Amino acid sequence: MRTVQVLGGGNAAGGAHVRSLTAGLVARGVRVTVCAPLEADHTYDFTGVGADHVHVPRSSDPGSVAALRAACTGADLVHAHGLHASFRTVLALSGRRTPLVVTWYDRAYADGPRAHFLRVLERRVAKAATVVLGTTSALVDRARRTGARDARLAAVSLPGPRTSPAPDDPDRLRPKVRAELGAVGRPLLIAVGSLERRRGYDVLLDAAHAWRRLDPVPLVVLAGEGPLRGELQRRIEDEELPVRLIGRRDDITDLLAAADVALLPSRWESRSPLAQEALHARVPLVATAVGGIPELVGDAAELVPYGNARAFADAVVRLLDDPGRRDLLGERGVRQAATWPTEDETVAQVLSVYDELTQPRPL
């Protein structure tokens, strides 16, 4: 079987999943071509796990669509990841009967006229795809409402931990990381994600006002980059908030290992990598009850309504005051993580879909 995986390169969860999926498919004898921007191959090393890589820019201009169409020639099946990559693939496969599998990892966000444009793209992709795989039940329901003829819940595992080389002894690493961040003798709260409106960091800064009254005052560390960095930094300075922006990091596992509580204040999340890594690491998580988060974490996190800064702040304070509750959530997190699909199970499920769509049907 020859498959083509199409990736736009803008979604970290999608890129990590495609690399894991590619490695598993190649190991099972499937020929894989990954169509993605050059920087995506540099980041995820698709060629290093045995795939062919074809550079296809993220744009949907005729040149990119033509390059994608050529790469898909002769494929038994094409699998596109994310909305924009899926739309380009629909254009590239126009007039062909090649089965198209689409995976949706998250909702697309925009305001004003662009929001309408994204809804049009969703409908076009959902109706054209042979199968839409959604990473949460909410995304599956959305695909069905949008016109998908076949929408299913996808098994998507969290690939290996995002970590940097570290000393063998984690007990030595924790104080070192805390010292580097400036969290000696005070609680450390960690949030990770792009600095965008949908991440809810404005609500997080509102909540940080309440934490200033604690003794000692917790330090909030936000790891990530994005268009809101300037706005958030101004608020932190003007309001004298105990918050640090540390930019994009490749040692998230180390940061979590040093944290007392992980924070996820988003307006929407599907299978949040931060939530998964926090539960794997036994780090208590305070998150908003949105999207796929309740389904993902079960009873292994403190869940609060989105946009309620008081509820978010109070949940963190309760955890900081209750070591027993933090330990309980850590134990529940490990049990919950054990219910998630492994990388092998994820590859097996996707391959079963591929076989279903490519095997000849009896007359």
Side-chain angles (χ1 to χ4, degrees), residues 130-321:
T130 314
V131 173
V132 176
L133 300 177
T135 59
T136 68
S137 298
L139 288 172
V140 173
D141 292 341
R142 185 177 182 87
R144 289 172 178 158
R145 292 195 306 269
T146 309
R149 47 189 153 156
D150 187 342
R152 312 178 191 182
L153 186 64
V156 176
S157 65
L158 177 69
R162 295 178 289 170
T163 185
S164 57
D168 293 334
D169 184 358
D171 291 333
R172 291 176 55 194
L173 177 63
R174 178 181 168 90
K176 178 176 182 292
V177 173
R178 293 175 70 96
E180 290 174 352
L181 295 174
V184 176
R186 61 194 297 197
L188 176 61
L189 314 179
I190 294 284
V192 180
S194 56
L195 305 183
E196 300 174 302
R197 195 73 60 190
R198 70 185 183 93
R199 297 292 183 184
Y201 289 142
D202 55 336
V203 179
L204 180 57
L205 296 192
D206 290 341
H209 280 275
W211 302 329
R212 291 189 306 181
R213 297 193 293 269
L214 302 180
D215 184 19
V217 177
L219 174 65
V220 183
V221 171
L222 305 187
E225 282 293 353
L228 292 186
R229 183 182 180 100
E231 177 182 324
L232 295 173
Q233 188 62 52
R234 283 191 295 274
R235 275 201 62 187
I236 291 166
E237 294 171 0
D238 292 346
E239 300 169 29
E240 299 181 345
L241 299 176
V243 180
R244 281 192 61 193
L245 306 182
I246 61 172
R248 186 177 290 108
R249 299 284 291 249
D250 60 2
D251 59 345
I252 301 304
T253 300
D254 296 344
L255 295 177
L256 278 173
D260 295 291
V261 179
L263 309 175
L264 190 66
S266 303
R267 183 172 67 185
W268 172 270
E269 290 281 351
S270 52
R271 293 185 68 86
S272 161
L274 174 67
Q276 294 179 72
E277 292 187 33
L279 267 59
H280 272 298
R282 297 177 177 265
V283 178
L285 173 70
V286 176
T288 44
V290 298
I293 293 300
E295 181 179 32
L296 179 68
V297 304
D299 65 353
E302 297 285 356
L303 298 180
V304 300
Y306 167 72
N308 190 328
R310 173 61 65 84
F312 201 94
D314 289 348
V316 171
V317 171
R318 286 195 301 272
L319 278 180
L320 294 178
D321 287 341

Side-chain angles (χ1 to χ4, degrees), residues 27-73:
R28 289 163 174 78
V30 178
R31 293 171 55 205
V32 179
T33 298
V34 177
C35 294
L38 280 174
E39 57 269 24
D41 187 47
H42 292 157
T43 300
Y44 300 105
D45 192 22
F46 304 119
T47 52
V49 295
D52 294 322
H53 173 253
V54 175
H55 170 59
V56 176
R58 293 181 63 185
S59 71
S60 296
D61 62 64
S64 295
V65 172
L68 182 55
R69 184 175 179 85
C72 292
T73 300

